[in-house]
Amino acid sequence: MLRLLILFAVVASAIWIFRGMKNNGRTSRPTQEQDAPPMVRCAHCGVHLPRDRALALEQQWYCSQAHLEQGPGSRDR
């Protein structure tokens, strides 16, 4: 019985080591965070949105044309 347990431990260790070596050869896939576009904060309401969907005026970002026209909101947030 002891020999069977030792054999099982050796086989399990060999499989674990083999899988570790196999995964090290693969190139790591970029994570979803790395693929995400840069986010900006609306100067009026504070909503975060992707920079390519935001409207810029004088180094400030806005989420909509209405907020761009109203200008920066209160700084209490």
Side-chain angles (χ1 to χ4, degrees):
M1 184 69 167
L2 185 59
R3 288 182 184 175
L4 187 60
L5 288 175
I6 292 173
L7 178 64
F8 178 73
V10 169
V11 170
S13 298
I15 291 172
W16 182 67
I17 291 171
F18 178 73
R19 284 186 179 175
M21 289 177 12
K22 186 177 176 183
N23 288 341
N24 286 343
R26 295 180 184 168
T27 58
S28 63
R29 210 177 112 219
T31 62
Q32 192 174 15
E33 281 184 21
Q34 293 172 343
D35 295 339
M39 303 291 279
V40 294
R41 186 171 189 256
C42 176
H44 182 78
C45 66
V47 169
H48 288 86
L49 67 155
R51 185 170 45 192
D52 60 351
R53 295 186 62 198
L55 303 170
L57 177 68
E58 299 175 2
Q59 298 182 347
Q60 292 183 332
W61 299 95
Y62 296 92
C63 63
S64 66
Q65 185 65 35
H67 283 182
L68 184 128
E69 291 169 2
Q70 292 174 6
S74 65
R75 299 287 180 193
D76 296 340
R77 295 176 196 173

